[in-house]
Amino acid sequence: MAQSHFSDWQTETWVCQRCQWSGSTSEASMEPFDELFEINCPKCEGRLAVIAYATEAEVREQAKAGNPEAIEMMPWAEAVERKRTTKEECRRLLTTLPDFDGATLSFTFEGDGGHDPMSPEWLVLKHQGTEVYREPSGFEAWRAIVDISSELRRRYGSRLAWVDPGEVGYALQGDDISANLSIERYLAAARLCPPTGSWSR
Ligand SMILES: [Zn+2]
């Protein structure tokens, strides 16, 4: 099981069970993953520990208890909360989209803003080329495509013909190689694949 970011891994002296190497965290090798990172033996790559990244709730709790590192991380925790609140407000607006004309409806996704296409500031939803909705996005925020599509399906029922995740559908997968497949599977199962383009079937 992963240790908390706020455990004493930073000052630990490690002993490798496999090759008996011993040393500090700064001497060990680190391998980052999506939700955690590994501390490995620099000699034989044997695993020494698995550390979870700090969560917003954890940072708050630790900061309250006076942990100086957590206090320094509070602006980050507050930014995460602000972004989540905005996103929740946006999702409420999503349920009030107009009753567009036409027997069938189709929507496309686009990314907007930010310096890195993999981490757009906004995820934009367009209906026939016109923006109808946007919400805060970010690195690996691909699940929003499935969530928003589900909401469109709930709202428009069988009138919803297709949804095209477009380029942003690929960009938002980030390092999560299973994401593409998840979006693809969802579109196929919900019968929402676009008629043309890379997301068609
Ligand atoms: Zn070792």
Side-chain angles (χ1 to χ4, degrees):
M1 214 186 97
Q3 293 177 38
S4 158
H5 173 85
F6 294 104
S7 61
D8 49 12
W9 63 273
Q10 295 176 80
T11 53
E12 189 93 46
T13 301
W14 306 99
V15 178
C16 177
Q17 300 299 320
R18 213 196 279 174
C19 76
Q20 307 311 311
W21 171 87
S22 167
S24 68
T25 300
S26 59
E27 292 166 310
S29 78
M30 307 269 216
E31 195 173 354
F33 294 95
D34 290 351
E35 281 157 20
L36 49 85
F37 61 94
E38 289 177 3
I39 301 177
N40 296 322
C41 172
K43 245 172 95 183
C44 76
E45 286 300 308
R47 186 178 300 167
L48 301 169
V50 178
I51 316 290
Y53 295 125
T55 64
E56 183 207 346
E58 226 178 353
V59 169
R60 278 179 196 287
E61 193 187 299
Q62 290 286 327
K64 225 184 213 172
N67 181 317
E69 192 190 0
I71 291 168
E72 272 180 28
M73 287 169 86
M74 273 307 286
W76 168 78
E78 275 158 9
V80 169
E81 192 190 357
R82 258 200 313 279
K83 199 162 182 181
R84 198 188 48 227
T85 312
T86 321
K87 193 156 149 185
E88 276 168 11
E89 279 166 11
C90 289
R91 286 285 168 92
R92 272 197 293 278
L93 290 177
L94 185 61
T95 63
T96 66
L97 281 180
D99 209 17
F100 301 107
D101 287 339
T104 62
L105 303 175
S106 56
F107 294 86
T108 51
F109 285 99
E110 275 176 28
D112 184 34
H115 301 296
D116 180 1
M118 300 271 280
S119 185
E121 200 174 341
W122 298 94
L123 177 64
V124 176
L125 179 72
K126 292 188 169 182
H127 170 247
Q128 291 178 351
T130 303
E131 178 176 332
V132 292
Y133 172 77
R134 66 167 55 211
E135 69 172 39
S137 187
F139 188 63
E140 290 184 353
W142 62 269
R143 201 173 293 275
I145 292 189
V146 171
D147 292 347
I148 295 169
S149 301
S150 302
E151 178 56 29
L152 294 173
R153 198 159 166 248
R154 193 195 63 76
R155 180 150 165 71
Y156 299 112
S158 58
R159 287 176 71 212
L160 181 63
W162 53 264
V163 173
D164 190 346
E167 284 302 311
V168 75
Y170 297 107
L172 284 182
Q173 76 173 314
D175 294 332
D176 188 351
I177 50 166
S178 67
N180 235 329
L181 212 54
S182 303
I183 297 174
E184 222 170 82
R185 278 201 192 117
Y186 170 79
L187 292 180
R191 296 176 179 275
L192 291 179
C193 295
T196 57
S198 55
W199 292 94
S200 68
R201 275 203 152 190

